Amino acid sequence: AGRLVGLEYGFIDTTGRVVLEPWFAQACDFKKSLAKVNQSGKWGFIDVTGNVVVPCQYRQPEYFVHDLEQITI
């Protein structure tokens, strides 16, 4: 689940243990193993290990459907 610490978001597991340290301006919950995250006003996606899957360079991405992503540039 996303967790706000100060002015940054990170992620915790179901026991409350921090699994990804807060460093995102905004973050959404994981769906299909990806979470939408915002840095500097742009959105991208990370996987459950915190690796960037889609760089934060889009204005309004949506979650993947049938392996495709809808984005606004």
Side-chain angles (χ1 to χ4, degrees), residues 1-2 11 26-30 34-37 43 63:
F11 290 89
Q26 292 177 284
C28 299
D29 289 336
F30 281 91
L34 295 176
K36 187 165 57 169
V37 294
W43 291 89
Y63 284 94

Side-chain angles (χ1 to χ4, degrees), residues 29-40:
D29 289 336
F30 281 91
K31 292 183 183 178
K32 297 184 178 184
S33 300
L34 295 176
K36 187 165 57 169
V37 294
N38 181 298
Q39 290 235 296
S40 302

Side-chain angles (χ1 to χ4, degrees), residues 2 6 8-10 16-19 22 39 41 48-49 58-59 63 67:
E8 296 179 325
Y9 286 83
R17 183 178 64 90
V18 174
V19 293
Q39 290 235 296
V48 295
T49 63
Y58 301 104
R59 285 190 291 161
Y63 284 94
D67 298 325

Side-chain angles (χ1 to χ4, degrees), residues 48-59:
V48 295
T49 63
N51 291 320
V52 174
V53 177
V54 176
C56 293
Q57 61 186 12
Y58 301 104
R59 285 190 291 161

